[in-house]
Each structure stands twice: as structure tokens, then as C-alpha cells.
């Protein structure tokens, strides 16, 4: 019983922490940060779980990315939530791929983070709701429905954009964060 109480206490603490995150990220908390370093740090927390589930973790981190203006622990939370969802989407095998890149699009520069998996995909009727807080397709006790809502909130508060593409066998979340404008 003590292990159950401890597990539920941790789950409740994490739920409260996620709720608080919705209201905390502000522009003043941001500082220049290395996206690749933040991704590496977050993935170190995911690697053991991936190995245990026989899921390959593939990293393709672009060299010489400009620093972005952000809050490292918030961006780390984005990586962890997207990676955990990807792991859950794959039974006990598959590939989780995490990429970073510099993207020029529409006269703007973005530093991007892509998290993709070879899982079952997100059903078309569910796709429009995935970023809604408290929406989940996971069984009771397995998910709070806050993960993707939190990801969306953090990305927006970092002046970024998140896109998703999904079909059976491939789902990819693409996070675009503004790259600093070159000084003139």
C-alpha cells in the first residue's frame, strides 16, 4: 500500500506542476539557450524506457544551431511529453526519431524540433482535439490529458508553432521556435 500511495502522490504532484506550468511561462523567464543541449538532457530521461520497450531512439541534431530565447526546463518538458507519447503509441517495438534543424520559411528563420514515431498513428477524428486540456484517449489512470495541452501552451508562450502529421505507422510533431534575427 505504501508504494501505491507514493506513486499516486507523485502523480498528483506532477499533475499540479503541469497545471501551474500553464500559468507560469513568461517572456521575462527566457534566456538564450542551446536547443540541442536541452534535447540531449531530456532524452537522457527517456533512453532507459525506450530500451526497455525495445524501441530504437534515433537522434539527428543539427550542428551550429543558433541559440533560441527560451526557458530550458519548459522546452525539456515539451521534448519529454512528445517522446513519452511517441513511446506509448508504439507497442513494444519501433523507432522514435528526434531531429533539430534550422528552417528558413516565408522570410523567417525557425529552429525546429521534430519528434516522430512508427506507432499506430492518431485517428483522424481525434486529431483536432489533441491539444485540448484534459482530453485523452488513454485508459483511466494512464493519462491526465494534460501532456499535449501543456506542450501546445509552452510552444505558444515561446512565440512558436506546433504542427502534427499522422497516419498509421508514422506520426510527427514539428515544433518551430523563432530563431534570433541577425543583427544589422
Amino acid at each position: 500500500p505504501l508504494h501505491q500511495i507514493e506513486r499516486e502522490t507523485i502523480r498528483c504532484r506532477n499533475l499540479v506542476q503541469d497545471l501551474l506550468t500553464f500559468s507560469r511561462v513568461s517572456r521575462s523567464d527566457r534566456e538564450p539557450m542551446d536547443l540541442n543541449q536541452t534535447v540531449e538532457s531530456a532524452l537522457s530521461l527517456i533512453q532507459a524506457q525506450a530500451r526497455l520497450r525495445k524501441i530504437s531512439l534515433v537522434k539527428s541534431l543539427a550542428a551550429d544551431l543558433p541559440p533560441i530565447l527560451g526557458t530550458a526546463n519548459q522546452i525539456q518538458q515539451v521534448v519529454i511529453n512528445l517522446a513519452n507519447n511517441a513511446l506509448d503509441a508504439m507497442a513494444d517495438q519501433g523507432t522514435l526519431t528526434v531531429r533539430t534543424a534550422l528552417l528558413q520559411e516565408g522570410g523567417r528563420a525557425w529552429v525546429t524540433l521534430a519528434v516522430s514515431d512508427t506507432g499506430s498513428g492518431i485517428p483522424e477524428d481525434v486529431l483536432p482535439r489533441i491539444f485540448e486540456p484534459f482530453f485523452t484517449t488513454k485508459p483511466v489512470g494512464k493519462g491526465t490529458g494534460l501532456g499535449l495541452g501543456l506542450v501546445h501552451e509552452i510552444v505558444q508562450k515561446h512565440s512558436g508553432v506546433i504542427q502534427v502529421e499522422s497516419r498509421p505507422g508514422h506520426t510527427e510533431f514539428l515544433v518551430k521556435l523563432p530563431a534570433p534575427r541577425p543583427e544589422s
Side-chain angles (χ1 to χ4, degrees):
L2 289 177
H3 290 299
Q4 248 181 330
I5 291 169
E6 180 183 20
R7 186 178 66 238
E8 289 305 308
T9 302
I10 291 169
R11 197 171 75 80
C12 287
R13 182 198 68 203
N14 292 342
L15 176 62
V16 169
Q17 195 64 41
D18 287 348
L19 287 170
L20 289 172
T21 299
F22 277 110
S23 62
R24 262 202 233 143
V25 180
S26 69
R27 290 184 190 276
S28 63
D29 294 338
R30 297 194 225 156
E31 56 190 27
M33 57 170 275
D34 180 338
L35 180 62
N36 287 342
Q37 185 178 15
T38 303
V39 167
E40 288 280 8
S41 175
L43 291 179
S44 70
L45 303 171
I46 301 295
Q47 286 175 324
Q49 189 180 3
R51 264 194 305 269
L52 190 62
R53 293 170 144 191
K54 299 178 180 87
I55 294 172
S56 300
L57 177 58
V58 176
K59 293 184 283 189
S60 177
L61 306 181
D64 301 327
L65 282 181
I68 60 169
L69 197 57
T71 306
N73 67 339
Q74 298 293 314
I75 300 301
Q76 189 175 36
Q77 189 69 48
V78 167
V79 176
I80 291 169
N81 282 347
L82 292 176
N84 278 331
N85 280 355
L87 293 177
D88 289 345
M90 296 179 277
D92 278 334
Q93 64 180 21
T95 303
L96 168 62
T97 305
V98 179
R99 294 184 330 272
T100 61
L102 183 60
L103 172 69
Q104 298 292 332
E105 182 180 76
R108 268 191 98 164
W110 301 94
V111 174
T112 65
L113 164 70
V115 178
S116 61
D117 67 66
T118 57
S120 56
I122 302 169
E124 202 171 307
D125 62 321
V126 171
L127 211 48
R129 300 192 62 200
I130 61 172
F131 295 118
E132 290 178 19
F134 304 108
F135 176 77
T136 184
T137 58
K138 294 178 182 176
V140 174
K142 295 288 183 186
T144 61
L146 285 176
L148 288 177
L150 181 63
V151 165
H152 188 262
E153 186 75 13
I154 291 170
V155 170
Q156 278 193 325
K157 287 187 176 182
H158 280 79
S159 304
V161 177
I162 185 166
Q163 301 167 331
V164 61
E165 173 188 305
S166 187
R167 63 183 181 278
H170 177 79
T171 297
E172 179 172 277
F173 285 84
L174 178 66
V175 175
K176 298 190 296 191
L177 300 166
R181 297 190 189 278
E183 313 244 341
S184 12

